[in-house]
Amino acid sequence: MRVPDPVDSAIYSKSALIPIQMDVDASGQARWRGELPVENGRTRFAVFSGGANWQVNLLTPDSKRQQTLALTETARAASFGIEEARVPGNYYVLENIQSGNYSIDLAGDSFARRGYLLIEGDPATQLVSFPTHRRLWVGERITINATLSSSSQPNSVLLGRGAIQSAELRVTSPDGRIDTRPMFDDGQHDDGAAADGVFAGDFRASSSGDYLAQTVVHATDGRGQRIVRTAEHVVPIVQNTLSLDGAASVNGKALGGTRLSLDVKVDGAAGDHYRAYAEVWGTGKNGAAIPVAWVAGMVSPNSGTIGMGLDERWIARSGAGAPFELRNLRIEDPDNFITLASADRLGLNLSAARLHNVASESIAIDDDMRMGPHPAAALVSKGVGTHVLLVHGYCSGGVWPAAQFGNSASFLDTNQNRSHDQFARLLQSFGNTWNSYGTVAHSQGGAAALHLYTYYWSGLDNATGSRLMQSVGTPYKGTNLAGILAALGSWFGVGCGTNNDLSYSGASAWLAGIPTWARAKVNYYTTSFKSTNWWTNDYCNFATDLVLSDPEDGTTEQVNGQLTGATNRGHTTGQCHTSGMRDPAQYLDSSRNATMNANAAH
């Protein structure tokens, strides 16, 4: 439940996404030349031209016996993206060739001059990149760090032979403006010590919205081979109009029974709702501070205050007495989970006379203590009957074969981009047709269902059955596709747009508010491609395989499809994230669907 350390959601990149801006020559043809490092006797790359017909040639690195390799006839059609948000391109593979720095030439008609080159490098050398600032507010300077690491020693920094020669930060603002800034390893730019192999660059966030910050690193690997790596960060920036009243303390007010309301005064223009978190601490008989409970949830401002709930049985159970205080209080926006107001400590005025006079060992933890008192079923949902809700993911539509699920209804918000919170509230509104339901969800839909159960009362809270929430292919810890798709979309205007909650850092911030009691209600599955032979790269999707780490399903890496505290129902090979990939779509597995249907809560 702590604010995540930025380094824990770093991008580990084996690839490079290079922007292409062609110049027009005297003949009226558009041309571009760049460098394509071949690190281990083979190369795989993709060219995204926005649908233009570009000629692709490579010039070998041997200066005495250079050869031009024409690759247009070897192109395979590929697309990069998530669900229906896709960018078409051409994919190329060269095996058993000389390592070194090739020149790549692109030529085409003058009307289509912009695109991207996506290169896969040797995964033995990875770029590690992450934003270091948590104050993602308008007016702040946002710093991003970058270093090289060995996949065999993931926490190491490569120095000397295997070092970064140059690094830069390429920032695309919400209005489309592009600014390139140098990155430094001089000990004076929040980069640690001078010459320690860690580079840093920054930019000023001048407006709210999603920034795309791409780190670009030119380096040599441990064999002295020149390499290039990039990492693409979605950086949401918000206008912060919320602040705590430093003169106010937190006062307890009885709400009936054993309930308290913790009021926090705020200044500024209040939003509709926020995610709030705090730890309650008291004092033991020996005078030492002892933990009581954490309190968290979605809260709405009311007359300059924000209310939070605390069940006094936690205090009795801890044996704590006055003085009490809140620690690590933070109030965040509900879509990106950016901290807007915080306090390390805030006094909590709570009279000892109000505490339960009950022996701590006799208090059993129940759902009311974890979630608050359950409202009457009619107040949660005015609908009738029971159902299983079939939920799709980001930029998608109805994917589940409804005929394989009894007593089910398909949630449809087709080809849309929603934050987890927006998605969850739409799911809540749709589910109000029924009194109770469980969920079977694909991709982002699994995170949306968990978000709904954690923060809002709904038909999920009335359901009975062995598996309340089930998911397949959900990137609970994010996917590296989010940032790269945002970069491609900045030039090609891809479908549904940027989704920060699907990035590594966004997912990490979201998970920091999801408690164990909610996670325990999730049953999840992961899948990946079927391994065919040992001498070729296996894949679900040509293009996304260039940036994802195996095993993966074309969108979600197995390691990032895990949800700590939930029930892992297993991993299946030979199934990909969605239709149009090499292996069948994971949501079409009739055997697994039958199992989920038989065990679904209603």
Side-chain angles (χ1 to χ4, degrees), residues 13-18 117-121 228-230 232:
S13 174
K14 62 177 180 177
S15 62
L17 183 68
I18 308 299
L117 171 66
L118 178 61
I119 309 167
E120 180 189 42
V228 59
R229 298 285 188 271
T230 70
E232 292 70 31

Side-chain angles (χ1 to χ4, degrees), residues 223-464:
R223 298 165 295 184
Q225 166 69 46
R226 284 162 57 188
I227 64 173
V228 59
R229 298 285 188 271
T230 70
E232 292 70 31
H233 299 277
V234 177
V235 184
I237 300 296
V238 298
Q239 183 73 54
N240 186 10
T241 57
L242 180 69
S243 64
L244 295 173
D245 185 345
S249 62
V250 181
N251 299 288
K253 294 182 180 179
L255 290 180
T258 60
R259 299 290 298 166
L260 294 178
S261 175
L262 308 178
D263 295 333
V264 181
K265 294 183 179 180
V266 297
D267 296 326
D272 173 66
H273 66 295
Y274 301 92
R275 184 171 79 167
Y277 167 90
E279 299 164 8
V280 180
W281 288 70
T283 306
K285 294 180 180 179
N286 62 356
I290 58 175
V292 174
W294 57 261
V295 291
M298 291 294 175
V299 297
S300 297
N302 182 18
S303 300
T305 66
I306 287 179
M308 300 176 69
L310 169 67
D311 192 311
E312 291 179 75
R313 287 176 292 176
W314 288 112
I315 299 174
R317 198 172 191 274
S318 70
F324 292 93
E325 67 178 1
L326 296 183
R327 293 187 182 181
N328 299 318
L329 169 66
R330 65 182 190 266
I331 304 172
E332 306 166 331
D333 83 292
D335 293 314
N336 299 294
F337 314 107
I338 296 169
T339 299
L340 304 176
S342 63
D344 292 335
R345 293 187 172 188
L346 196 63
L348 170 58
N349 297 329
L350 184 61
S351 170
R354 299 175 47 145
L355 303 182
H356 277 282
N357 187 20
V358 180
S360 61
E361 60 270 16
S362 67
I363 300 175
I365 298 173
D366 59 22
D367 282 345
D368 280 359
M369 293 176 68
R370 296 187 184 97
M371 304 170 67
H374 193 294
L379 296 177
V380 173
S381 173
K382 296 182 180 179
V384 295
T386 65
H387 254 57
V388 175
L389 301 192
L390 306 179
V391 187
H392 60 72
Y394 159 85
C395 199
S396 181
V399 297
W400 295 101
Q404 296 179 12
F405 295 87
N407 193 29
S408 66
S410 296
F411 168 81
L412 292 177
D413 182 38
T414 58
N415 299 331
Q416 297 296 320
N417 176 18
R418 312 291 188 190
S419 70
H420 289 350
D421 189 67
Q422 294 164 349
F423 200 147
R425 298 180 87 178
L426 288 173
L427 187 57
Q428 178 191 40
S429 178
F430 175 77
N432 280 341
T433 303
W434 302 279
N435 175 262
S436 66
Y437 52 82
T439 57
V440 171
H442 180 242
S443 197
Q444 189 195 3
L450 176 56
H451 188 94
L452 172 60
Y453 182 67
T454 302
Y455 296 117
Y456 303 103
W457 295 109
S458 73
L460 280 170
D461 298 286
N462 297 335
T464 58

Side-chain angles (χ1 to χ4, degrees), residues 17-25 29-34 47-49 54 104-117 170 176 178 490-492:
L17 183 68
I18 308 299
I20 296 167
Q21 181 70 60
M22 289 186 170
D23 295 320
V24 179
D25 64 17
Q29 191 172 47
R31 293 185 177 278
W32 178 87
R33 173 174 284 192
V47 174
F48 302 98
S49 64
W54 288 354
I104 179 168
D105 285 311
L106 303 176
D109 296 329
S110 60
F111 70 88
R113 297 167 52 188
R114 296 204 307 179
Y116 279 96
L117 171 66
R170 187 173 185 269
I178 298 174
S490 69
W491 278 14
F492 298 129

